[in-house]
Amino acid sequence: MKPRLVPYLFIGPALLLLVTFGVLPIAVALIVSFTDMNLAGLGDWSRIQFIGTDNYTKLFADRAFWGALSNTGLFAAIGVPSVVIASLLIAIGLNRSQGRFFRALRSFYFVPAITAIVAISLVWGYLFNAQFGLFNYLLSLVHLPPVAWLSDPLIVKFSVVWVAVWRGLGLNVIIFLAALQGVPKEYLEAAAIDGASEWRRIVSIEIPLLRFAIFFVTITTVIAWLQFFDEPFVLTKGGPLGASTSISLFLYQKGFSASQFGYASAGSVVLFVIIAAITLFQLRLRRADADY
């Protein structure tokens, strides 16, 4: 085999999987978005009609779509900085402690990331229960009124974000911990000899050297929150009155519950464009920062 073909042999399987499960579904969704495909059309393709941009016109006039989009923006605005900052602070704290207890904590923080969402929803559902839940019981101990955690249209937004933030910490903590392990100890020792305090070493040495890790965690977290689905689906089904419906849950309801595949595909294309635009913007910022 010619040496110049060896790299293609290694990247070939990964590229094939990427095209099959990444690029091809997007292309199919784009084509379906210009049709009236539904459950009947799925069984008999002769019933599928090309309708141009009607799905997009209907989508942009749908108040439920804009409501789900605004909910997703709110979820991301609260969730992304919460996850990134909390993960970074926890990783810095764990990195400074080498005892058995803190090594065990590293595994503890990763547990939510590998726990089934169904089990999480059961536990948090009981915690949020308005009559018998732990949170309202704790509020009653300090003579505060009970809170409708999952039935109030405003509070439910923060409740689902709370669960998602808790669930999203583990993997990011591991990433930050790995990055912290790569910070040259010579830098920290030199700063300590010069009299730099612990706080100064964190702010002036460790965090600047974690810029790529922070960028990676931020961009993956933003993408994850724009596709926010699990927590509102299992805890509230998007209720009450669509108050916790994210854009991904909205598309799921239209596509799989209402069998409006063409309409849901139009929404998925719009969501893809939004995610791609935000990701490219972040990459552009990163490139400007690297040039600097």
Side-chain angles (χ1 to χ4, degrees):
M1 179 179 295
K2 296 180 179 179
R4 62 187 178 86
L5 297 180
V6 173
Y8 296 100
L9 182 64
F10 281 103
I11 66 173
L15 187 62
L16 180 62
L17 291 174
L18 178 64
V19 171
T20 304
F21 297 105
V23 178
L24 188 59
I26 296 173
V28 172
L30 180 62
I31 296 172
V32 173
S33 69
F34 295 110
T35 70
D36 63 347
M37 187 176 179
N38 53 23
L39 196 60
L42 192 63
D44 184 0
W45 289 14
S46 63
R47 296 186 177 185
I48 301 174
Q49 301 292 326
F50 178 77
I51 58 173
T53 59
D54 286 2
N55 281 327
Y56 291 93
T57 304
K58 181 181 175 184
L59 185 71
F60 292 133
D62 191 342
R63 294 180 60 183
F65 167 74
W66 291 109
L69 196 61
S70 63
N71 285 339
T72 303
L74 177 64
F75 295 150
I78 300 174
V80 172
S82 299
V83 169
V84 174
I85 294 174
S87 301
L88 182 59
L89 293 177
I90 292 171
I92 291 174
L94 292 176
N95 189 53
R96 273 165 167 66
S97 304
Q98 300 300 327
R100 290 183 179 179
F101 174 73
F102 290 97
R103 286 202 297 270
L105 275 184
R106 297 180 184 182
S107 303
F108 172 77
Y109 279 110
F110 195 66
V111 168
I114 59 175
T115 303
I117 184 63
V118 176
I120 291 175
S121 67
L122 286 174
V123 173
W124 282 90
Y126 282 118
L127 294 175
F128 283 137
N129 189 285
Q131 290 183 312
F132 311 107
L134 175 64
F135 297 139
N136 278 347
Y137 170 73
L138 295 176
L139 291 176
S140 70
L141 296 180
V142 292
H143 306 292
L144 290 176
V147 175
W149 299 100
L150 298 179
S151 56
D152 184 279
L154 177 60
I155 296 175
V156 70
K157 300 179 190 296
F158 298 94
S159 299
V160 294
V161 168
W162 185 0
V163 179
V165 168
W166 170 80
R167 185 166 172 245
L169 289 177
L171 182 60
N172 293 332
V173 169
I174 297 300
I175 293 173
F176 281 134
L177 265 175
L180 285 166
Q181 299 291 327
V183 174
K185 296 190 182 303
E186 293 83 0
Y187 295 173
L188 301 174
E189 292 170 356
I193 293 173
D194 288 340
S197 64
E198 191 79 13
W199 172 251
R200 175 56 62 186
R201 278 177 273 169
I202 294 174
V203 173
S204 300
I205 298 177
E206 291 185 337
I207 291 182
L209 291 176
L210 291 179
R211 279 188 300 178
F212 181 75
I214 295 173
F215 168 75
F216 175 78
V217 168
T218 301
I219 200 168
T220 54
T221 304
V222 167
I223 293 173
W225 279 87
L226 291 177
Q227 299 175 330
F228 190 43
F229 178 82
D230 292 347
E231 286 76 8
F233 177 72
V234 298
L235 286 172
T236 64
K237 302 293 183 186
L241 302 175
S244 62
T245 301
S246 65
I247 187 66
S248 293
L249 181 55
F250 171 80
L251 298 177
Y252 171 82
Q253 292 170 341
K254 293 299 179 183
F256 293 95
S257 299
S259 299
Q260 299 174 358
F261 300 124
Y263 186 68
S265 296
S268 66
V269 171
V270 172
L271 178 61
F272 170 76
V273 171
I274 293 173
I275 293 175
I278 293 176
T279 304
L280 290 175
F281 177 71
Q282 290 178 298
L283 290 173
R284 179 64 184 171
L285 289 180
R286 169 64 183 172
R287 186 179 302 172
D289 179 64
D291 293 341
Y292 176 77

